[in-house]
Amino acid sequence: KQEVTQIPAALSVPEGENLVLNCSFTDSAIYNLQWFRQDPGKGLTSLLLIQSSQREQTSGRLNASLDKSSGRSTLYIAASQPGDSATYLCAVSSTGNQFYFGTGTSLTVIP
Amino acid sequence: DAGITQSPRHKVTETGTPVTLRCHQTENHRYMYWYRQDPGHGLRLIHYSYGVKDTDKGEVSDGYSVSRSKTEDFLLTLESATSSQTSVYFCAISVDSVHEQYFGPGTRLTVT
């Protein structure tokens, strides 16, 4: 079974800072990895999907990288804003139809 | 927005009663999923479907059953609800070609 870990569980940064969120997984034979954000009491919003053959994906101020050999992915957020405050989750799939989630990193961006 | 709705959005029920949660999608995606989200556990897969009448178990399927008689609807049933099934339940679909997941708004279920 795939184990997914996200450290730290919580992070607080001042506005404007660049930051990195981490996701590690135990089985390097993955199909894809997806990053989500979740606002309190809401559903999950897809941010970025990295397929097994890719090393990184970018969307606006977000950049996600994937290193299968070390079992790690990072989500880089540039020039953080208070609106980025949310919980960030990563999910890993080994087959394309079963996904394993980390418990998330709760991000607070202080104005 | 992948056109996913869940009903009901909130429900309180008593231990031992049956409960059915509905997930509806408007875009005819083949794959649909039910997850539960609990503090300290993150999201865990309950069941998933890869087509009409085709379903399979996930990580935490005990006490749950599912049905999919139409492409657009995926039902999750708790045959006899227990307090340990108090949770937030999310439905998701995945886009067939790359399996990118999109989630519904969730259903908060409380079993008293």
Side-chain angles (χ1 to χ4, degrees):
Chain A
K1 176 195 162 188
Q2 183 75 267
E3 301 283 344
V4 181
T5 304
Q6 293 185 249
I7 295 174
L11 182 64
S12 184
V13 301
E15 182 178 1
E17 192 163 294
N18 302 326
L19 60 102
V20 174
L21 305 180
N22 297 296
C23 174
S24 61
F25 47 93
T26 53
D27 185 353
S28 61
I30 69 169
Y31 183 87
N32 64 27
L33 185 147
Q34 192 169 358
W35 282 94
F36 298 88
R37 72 172 278 167
Q38 185 176 28
D39 295 288
K42 303 293 187 182
L44 282 70
T45 300
S46 178
L47 296 174
L48 289 165
L49 173 80
I50 308 178
Q51 296 182 64
S52 177
S53 59
Q54 298 172 325
R55 293 294 300 260
E56 65 178 305
Q57 283 286 339
T58 298
S59 176
R61 293 183 294 110
L62 306 179
N63 175 275
S65 67
L66 174 63
D67 183 344
K68 290 189 298 181
S69 62
S70 66
R72 293 182 60 185
S73 176
T74 61
L75 179 67
Y76 174 84
I77 302 177
S80 58
Q81 303 170 358
D84 294 330
S85 297
T87 296
Y88 291 80
L89 299 159
C90 73
V92 178
S93 174
S94 297
T95 61
N97 53 23
Q98 286 227 26
F99 298 85
Y100 295 92
F101 280 78
T103 51
T105 295
S106 177
L107 173 67
T108 301
V109 180
I110 303 166
Chain B
D1 183 0
I4 305 167
T5 57
Q6 293 184 231
S7 59
R9 295 292 314 281
H10 301 271
K11 187 171 182 65
V12 180
T13 192
E14 294 184 349
T15 298
T17 60
V19 177
T20 296
L21 308 182
R22 178 179 183 245
C23 177
H24 178 78
Q25 59 148 328
T26 60
E27 298 183 0
N28 291 321
H29 293 293
R30 182 180 168 200
Y31 285 88
M32 298 184 75
Y33 308 83
W34 277 108
Y35 291 90
R36 59 179 290 172
Q37 185 176 34
D38 305 288
H41 290 279
L43 276 91
R44 293 177 291 174
L45 182 65
I46 304 171
H47 282 279
Y48 67 98
S49 170
Y50 45 96
V52 172
K53 293 184 169 38
D54 291 323
T55 65
D56 206 348
K57 296 179 180 180
E59 185 183 359
V60 291
S61 59
D62 287 348
Y64 302 94
S65 62
V66 289
S67 65
R68 193 166 178 203
S69 59
K70 297 186 291 185
T71 299
E72 60 265 36
D73 290 326
F74 191 31
L75 304 180
L76 176 71
T77 297
L78 291 65
E79 301 289 350
S80 178
T82 67
S83 59
S84 65
Q85 293 175 313
T86 292
S87 186
V88 180
Y89 291 85
F90 286 101
C91 173
I93 61 92
S94 66
V95 175
D96 292 355
S97 56
V98 295
H99 293 286
E100 181 169 6
Q101 291 188 97
Y102 293 90
F103 280 76
T107 294
R108 184 173 296 275
L109 176 68
T110 302
V111 184
T112 63

